[in-house]
């Protein structure tokens, strides 16, 4: 069976031929960690994403462009450990299977792997659209701006392809890979694992995860109106960019402090968030509005919540759904519909510790000090939560993700002693 080559653009190609081409050494020599040819290409690609028209249309691509700026790349490479007599090299051929619902995550994964000097093949979902299509266009445009020698090295080592479900193709790419990177949830991980890897190869998996937010009652009370507005806009970005389907988007908000203060702070926060929804001209489509009400009423029938409120502005009264939890420990980890948040009050962060499970990934936070967050992390002691970030940064990708140092995972160490 053949694959459609999305980047670089080209004719459909047989999977065996594709693997053979990716296994070959590029013109100009093998890639290395931090290869200048890859750095040059990524920075040209970043400039395409940061073009005003693109950044305005897809704000998430502006974040990606910033992540791939030359200075940011140099900063990421500088953090790689250096030890006497230990040298870092590419891992080989990496097969990436990203999710369809967060259609730019594959670029971060691929870019860091290419930066580590690997040859890569990425399966781009046939359901991807919008931002993903813009990414593919920007990649091909950046390639056309490269000098011929560097362009050939990129073309020979980096491929993004689309194909329908196929045991033959997925099996061949898995068998050829030195590392397989699987995003998209438990079902995707289990489905891909049925295709065997070479004995030396392994999987790097990103299964189902969930996230929640914490807000300090005292921090909110002490914040200026401008700080509160910025927090609401940041929370909007964390939650609404991917219809709250991203693993790092919060699905519950815990107000930490006294009950009376939490009730008032939560009310004020939702007012600010509703104002942001109005300013962004957010519109909940009919199917999503139904989904949110089904989820909310279902939680009520199950006895998990004591109150449901729908807040919005203008014509969109379904933009924000708040479900007051009877017990904070029953916070939902499943997706309930874009703009649907469980809400609860706890007296201290320590009360949240027994509720956290390994599936919990990101904690968006507002109003806490570094010392408070470090103490919370110490009390969690690895039971869950891989990152704590301010409101507005939940979707900001980092070279350390889900507890993995990705550049380190995408490379291998060789010890040399005379």
């Amino acid at each position: 069976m053949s694959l459609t080559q999305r980047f670089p653009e080209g004719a459909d190609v047989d999977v065996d031929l594709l693997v053979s081409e990716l296994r070959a050494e590029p013109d100009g020599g093998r890639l290395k960690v931090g290869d200048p040819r890859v750095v040059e290409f990524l920075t040209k690609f970043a400039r395409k994403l940061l073009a005003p028209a693109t950044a305005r249309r897809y704000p998430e691509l502006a974040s990606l462009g910033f992540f791939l700026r030359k200075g940011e790349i140099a900063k990421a490479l500088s953090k790689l450990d250096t030890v006497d007599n230990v040298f870092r090299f590419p891992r080989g051929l990496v097969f990436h299977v990203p999710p369809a619902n967060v259609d730019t995550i594959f670029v971060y994964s691929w870019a860091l792997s290419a930066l580590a000097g690997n040859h890569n093949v990425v399966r781009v979902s046939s359901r991807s659209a919008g931002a993903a299509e813009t990414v593919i266009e920007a990649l091909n445009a950046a390639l056309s701006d490269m000098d011929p020698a560097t362009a050939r090295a990129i073309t020979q080592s980096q491929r993004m392809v689309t194909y329908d479900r196929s045991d033959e193709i997925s099996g061949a790419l898995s068998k050829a890979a030195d590392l397989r990177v699987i995003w998209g949830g438990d079902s995707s991980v289990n489905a891909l694992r049925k295709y065997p890897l070479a004995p030396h190869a392994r999987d790097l998996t990103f299964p189902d995860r969930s996230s929640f937010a914490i807000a300090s009652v005292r921090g909110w009370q002490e914040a200026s109106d401008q700080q509160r507005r910025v927090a609401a806009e940041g929370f909007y970005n964390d939650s609404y960019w991917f219809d709250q389907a991203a693993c790092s988007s919060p699905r519950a908000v815990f107000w930490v402090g006294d009950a009376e203060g939490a009730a008032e702070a939560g009310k004020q926060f939702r007012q600010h968030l509703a104002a942001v929804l109005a300013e962004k001209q957010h519109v909940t489509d009919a199917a999503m509005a139904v989904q949110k009400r089904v989820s909310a009423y279902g939680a009520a029938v199950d006895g998990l919540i004591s109150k449901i409120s729908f807040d919005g502005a203008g014509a969109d009264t379904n933009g924000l759904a708040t479900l007051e939890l009877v017990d904070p420990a029953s916070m939902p980890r499943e997706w309930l519909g874009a703009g649907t948040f469980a809400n609860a009050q706890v007296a201290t962060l320590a009360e949240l510790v027994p509720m956290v499970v390994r599936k919990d990934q990101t904690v968006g936070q507002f109003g806490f000090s570094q010392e408070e967050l470090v103490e919370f992390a110490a009390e969690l002691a690895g039971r869950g939560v891989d990152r704590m970030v301010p409101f507005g940064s939940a979707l900001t990708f980092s070279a350390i993700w889900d507890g993995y140092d990705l550049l380190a995972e995408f490379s291998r160490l060789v010890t040399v002693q005379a």
Side-chain angles (χ1 to χ4, degrees), residues 94-113 122-123 127 179-192 203-209 246-248 361 397-404 406 410:
V94 181
F95 175 32
H96 304 257
V97 186
N101 64 330
V102 184
D103 54 7
T104 55
I105 197 74
F106 73 91
V107 192
Y108 291 97
S109 174
W110 159 77
L112 288 170
S113 182
V122 183
R123 181 188 179 186
R127 291 183 288 139
L179 178 69
R180 182 170 58 188
V181 184
I182 309 173
W183 302 78
D186 295 353
S187 59
S188 296
V189 172
N190 292 331
L192 266 293
D203 283 324
L204 182 61
T205 61
F206 298 89
D208 286 334
R209 306 301 300 275
C247 59
S248 53
Q361 184 215 56
F397 198 85
S398 166
I400 296 178
W401 193 260
D402 270 16
Y404 294 117
L406 293 180
F410 288 138

Side-chain angles (χ1 to χ4, degrees), residues 257-282:
D258 67 281
E260 184 178 346
E264 181 60 26
K267 177 183 176 181
Q268 293 171 359
F269 172 71
R270 290 188 290 275
Q271 289 172 345
H272 278 278
L273 184 54
V276 173
L277 290 168
E279 181 183 307
K280 303 288 186 182
Q281 299 182 330
H282 178 82

Side-chain angles (χ1 to χ4, degrees), residues 94-392:
V94 181
F95 175 32
H96 304 257
V97 186
N101 64 330
V102 184
D103 54 7
T104 55
I105 197 74
F106 73 91
V107 192
Y108 291 97
S109 174
W110 159 77
L112 288 170
S113 182
L115 195 58
N118 294 303
H119 291 205
N120 294 278
V121 56
V122 183
R123 181 188 179 186
V124 180
S125 172
S126 58
R127 291 183 288 139
S128 294
E133 293 302 309
T134 301
V135 162
I136 297 294
E137 292 170 5
L139 284 167
N140 283 301
L143 187 65
S144 67
D145 289 345
M146 305 294 293
D147 68 84
T150 303
R152 280 196 302 274
I154 299 299
T155 298
Q156 292 165 345
S157 62
Q158 314 297 321
R159 304 291 179 89
M160 295 185 185
V161 300
T162 295
Y163 61 91
D164 294 329
R165 292 186 182 275
S166 165
D167 289 342
E168 177 187 346
I169 295 176
S170 294
L173 294 177
S174 295
K175 186 177 181 180
D178 299 291
L179 178 69
R180 182 170 58 188
V181 184
I182 309 173
W183 302 78
D186 295 353
S187 59
S188 296
V189 172
N190 292 331
L192 266 293
R193 277 182 168 164
K194 72 180 183 180
Y195 305 112
L197 296 167
H200 71 275
R202 67 181 181 86
D203 283 324
L204 182 61
T205 61
F206 298 89
D208 286 334
R209 306 301 300 275
S210 62
S211 299
F212 60 91
I214 56 175
S216 167
V217 173
R218 185 185 64 210
W220 180 266
Q221 291 169 341
E222 295 176 352
S224 66
D225 193 63
Q226 175 63 19
Q227 289 171 322
R228 295 176 179 183
R229 167 72 181 189
V230 169
E233 185 162 354
F235 189 87
Y236 169 88
N237 293 339
D238 290 344
S239 306
Y240 288 84
W241 271 5
F242 297 109
D243 285 338
Q244 210 177 340
C247 59
S248 53
S249 293
R251 294 174 184 174
V253 181
F254 294 99
W255 289 92
V256 183
D258 67 281
E260 184 178 346
E264 181 60 26
K267 177 183 176 181
Q268 293 171 359
F269 172 71
R270 290 188 290 275
Q271 289 172 345
H272 278 278
L273 184 54
V276 173
L277 290 168
E279 181 183 307
K280 303 288 186 182
Q281 299 182 330
H282 178 82
V283 176
T284 303
D285 64 38
M288 187 66 70
V290 171
Q291 170 67 41
K292 293 168 75 167
R293 291 183 181 270
V294 168
S295 298
Y297 299 147
V301 169
D302 292 338
L304 302 178
I305 59 176
S306 60
K307 180 183 177 182
I308 305 170
S309 59
F310 290 90
D311 300 292
D316 187 7
T317 57
N318 287 292
L320 171 59
T322 303
L323 316 181
E324 295 291 342
L325 292 174
V326 173
D327 180 358
S330 63
M331 70 166 168
R333 288 182 168 87
E334 70 278 9
W335 181 78
L336 299 176
T340 305
F341 305 95
N343 191 77
Q345 174 266 337
V346 293
T348 66
L349 286 175
E351 289 186 32
L352 293 174
V353 172
M355 308 176 199
V356 171
V357 298
R358 188 65 193 90
K359 183 179 180 180
D360 295 327
Q361 184 215 56
T362 296
V363 172
Q365 65 83 23
F366 175 80
F368 293 94
S369 67
Q370 179 75 5
E371 291 75 19
E372 288 174 310
L373 296 173
V374 169
E375 182 180 352
F376 183 38
E379 290 178 349
L380 289 171
R383 72 169 63 214
V385 178
D386 297 311
R387 53 199 293 262
M388 300 183 195
V389 295
F391 283 6

